[in-house]
Amino acid sequence: MEALEMIKGRRSVRTFAPSGVPHEVIEEIIDAARFSPSWKNTQIVRYQIIEDKKTQQEIAQNCVMGFSYNTKTIAQAPVLVVLSYITGRSGFERDGSYTTSKKEAWEMFDVGIVAQTFCLAAYEKGVGTCIMGIFEEQSVAQAIHLPPDQRVGALIAVGYPDQSPDAQPLPAPKRKEVKQLISYL
């Protein structure tokens, strides 16, 4: 699949087939995502793969701030990936000072790059994904026993898209025209 085709064709998938995703496929997706650029090549992002339905239900019911779309998506996804990141590296100098006025915002920038790369690699393998940002960070961290030097950056529901006859096709969402987004100086 060509890169532009992937970028334009990938959609957020919220309805999955009940079958799981083999570990080798998840590892192939992560193998691609690990090539994502990061601040000074710090590679701070880590992948917590949640297949345990009890943990997924806890996150779906107690950690998404009552946002029903995330509750439904997580509850029926075969896999939930929690993208976490090691703090205090991206955007920092070795002495702990900030490198730029963006300060630690580079941490989430790195998570975003990885999330997009992960989702594109999954799409290329026929695996659907949905990046979710509405969650209570501390609750998720406690549910998965995240080490204290890491923070939760994003949740990604993962699974094969529902291909049942009544499944709705995923049309392209409306996008702004290039002329609305660009400025030449």
Side-chain angles (χ1 to χ4, degrees):
M1 191 179 303
E2 297 292 322
L4 290 177
E5 180 185 354
M6 289 174 54
I7 292 167
K8 292 180 179 182
R10 186 214 162 261
R11 302 283 178 269
S12 292
V13 175
R14 293 178 177 84
T15 307
F16 301 97
S19 61
V21 180
H23 287 187
E24 78 174 30
V25 173
I26 291 172
E27 290 169 14
E28 289 170 0
I29 294 166
I30 293 171
D31 184 48
R34 71 188 177 96
F35 283 91
S36 300
S38 63
W39 174 269
K40 295 184 178 182
N41 197 32
T42 50
Q43 302 176 51
I44 62 170
V45 176
R46 300 297 182 264
Y47 307 83
Q48 318 300 318
I49 311 301
I50 315 300
E51 297 173 308
D52 174 64
K53 287 299 175 190
K54 182 179 176 189
T55 303
Q56 279 183 246
Q57 288 300 324
E58 179 181 347
I59 293 170
Q61 295 301 317
N62 303 321
C63 302
V64 296
M65 304 166 63
F67 188 61
S68 64
Y69 287 111
N70 285 0
T71 298
K72 289 182 218 173
T73 302
I74 294 168
Q76 61 89 41
V79 178
L80 177 65
V81 176
V82 177
L83 290 185
S84 63
Y85 61 92
I86 299 170
T87 60
R89 293 186 186 168
S90 185
F92 294 85
E93 293 298 318
R94 290 188 187 271
D95 66 4
S97 65
Y98 297 122
T99 304
T100 74
S101 62
K102 294 280 186 208
K103 302 181 179 179
E104 73 277 358
W106 285 104
E107 294 171 334
M108 283 302 297
F109 189 83
D110 285 355
V111 171
I113 295 170
V114 167
Q116 175 73 349
T117 306
F118 180 97
C119 292
L120 289 173
Y123 178 62
E124 195 270 336
K125 297 203 164 290
V127 175
T129 56
C130 182
I131 302 169
M132 295 169 284
I134 299 175
F135 57 85
E136 205 296 305
E137 182 180 356
Q138 288 299 342
S139 298
V140 174
Q142 287 175 353
I144 65 170
H145 309 289
L146 197 64
D149 69 334
Q150 293 183 37
R151 291 186 64 184
V152 178
L155 308 179
I156 304 177
V158 177
Y160 292 102
D162 182 4
Q163 298 294 326
S164 65
D166 58 333
Q168 297 295 318
L170 299 170
K174 185 175 165 105
R175 298 290 183 199
K176 292 183 183 343
E177 295 298 323
V178 171
K179 294 198 180 298
Q180 294 176 280
L181 304 171
I182 194 169
S183 298
Y184 288 102
L185 305 177

